[in-house]
Amino acid sequence: MTALRVTPAGPGGRHRLRVSLPDGRDIAWYDRDSGRISLLSEAYEDEVVAALAPYVTGEVSIGPPSVPTASDLARLSLHPDDDLAPNRPGEALHAALDGAPARRLRKDPRPAELAAHQRVGDALDGLDAAGWRVLHCVPLPGGARIDHLAIGPAGVFAVRTLAARGRRVRIAGPYAATGRGEPEPHLRWARRAADRAAHALATAVRPVLAVADPGRLEVPPAPDGVRVLRDGEIPSLARLGAVLKPVDVEALYATARDRRTWLAV
């Protein structure tokens, strides 16, 4: 039997596993979402099935690769420098903090902000099994960023992160006050990010303010048109009514992950 290698493929390796020969040539891949093993050579079918056995769950279909969709072609033609899918939660903060001396970070709020981004980002990434696609730290012209962009059956959501660090957060109008700090227009910023995303993607985008680790969260009945969630409540997005088909989710994700999509918003 030929020794085959099984390695993750795609952002985070969550959706697809590739099977390759010792010389690096791909001969098959397993798509977790569709439960399909696509074979490039039928001669290796038994070896491929055996190599993937520890990773396969449920029923699978086996056959030649399907005809690529428009979103597949867009993804395959995307230059790595323009692909936003590998961005980590708080990617810009990672870049700013990497290599900074520990003594300079003691009173710097950015490590706590990064932890909040990671906390919210991990919760959003957990929606993957429910058919969601998530991008982090989407850059916009002028230096602004969308903290997280979640695309799923319930629609598209621009998610802004607010680091509470165990303090009380009070929402009033477009403002959010954390602890004893001055109120800041976080809800207005969340709406603005959603508006820019809607312009770029030509679809409805709803704003969300995700409050990471609040000690207490005070939210009025109608918080200025923005959905306000604790980070632990993010899974509730998967229970909203479906408005997008899986093919629409993938098409929007393919468009959103292209850095060039955001150049003129």
Side-chain angles (χ1 to χ4, degrees):
M1 178 181 288
T2 304
L4 302 181
R5 296 180 56 202
V6 178
T7 54
R14 297 189 300 271
H15 308 299
R16 182 173 290 187
L17 297 174
R18 55 184 289 196
V19 184
S20 56
L21 293 169
D23 63 7
R25 286 182 295 152
D26 290 345
I27 58 170
W29 63 84
Y30 168 50
D31 190 287
R32 298 177 190 269
D33 292 339
S34 64
R36 180 175 177 81
I37 297 174
S38 297
L39 288 170
L40 296 177
S41 173
E42 294 183 0
Y44 292 99
E45 180 173 346
D46 292 341
E47 288 92 337
V48 166
V49 171
L52 287 172
Y55 310 98
V56 169
T57 56
E59 296 293 327
V60 297
S61 59
I62 304 174
S66 58
V67 176
T69 63
S71 59
D72 290 332
L73 293 174
R75 173 179 53 81
L76 292 170
S77 64
L78 185 59
H79 191 281
D81 290 344
D82 291 322
D83 190 358
L84 300 177
N87 280 7
R88 299 164 291 180
E91 184 70 40
L93 288 169
H94 276 287
L97 294 173
D98 281 350
R103 65 180 182 277
R104 294 185 181 179
L105 298 178
R106 290 170 186 166
K107 295 184 179 181
D108 192 327
R110 291 178 298 176
E113 292 174 7
L114 177 57
H117 281 275
Q118 292 171 328
R119 186 169 179 142
V120 171
D122 288 346
L124 288 167
D125 287 339
L127 298 174
D128 177 82
W132 290 70
R133 300 289 180 260
V134 179
L135 294 168
H136 305 289
C137 202
V138 176
L140 301 175
R145 298 181 185 276
I146 299 174
D147 291 344
H148 317 274
L149 189 74
I151 306 170
V156 184
F157 297 84
V159 183
R160 180 176 180 83
T161 297
L162 174 58
R165 290 179 288 172
R167 297 172 294 176
R168 180 176 68 166
V169 175
R170 293 160 291 162
I171 306 293
Y175 293 91
T178 304
R180 297 182 180 180
E182 290 294 320
E184 294 183 298
H186 285 281
L187 280 75
R188 182 182 300 158
W189 293 333
R191 288 200 316 274
R192 186 176 301 164
D195 289 343
R196 296 180 76 173
H199 177 75
L201 300 175
T203 192
V205 178
R206 287 181 277 179
V208 173
L209 180 65
V211 184
D213 190 28
R216 181 178 175 183
L217 180 58
E218 300 175 4
V219 184
D224 212 44
V226 178
R227 184 181 295 270
V228 179
L229 300 173
R230 299 171 182 264
D231 56 282
E233 297 171 333
I234 285 174
S236 67
L237 293 176
R239 297 191 290 272
L240 298 177
V243 297
L244 294 177
K245 299 177 181 179
V247 66
D248 298 324
V249 171
E250 295 300 333
L252 284 167
Y253 178 64
T255 300
R257 68 189 291 181
D258 188 340
R259 186 184 304 273
R260 295 166 298 181
T261 297
W262 307 95
L263 295 179
V265 299

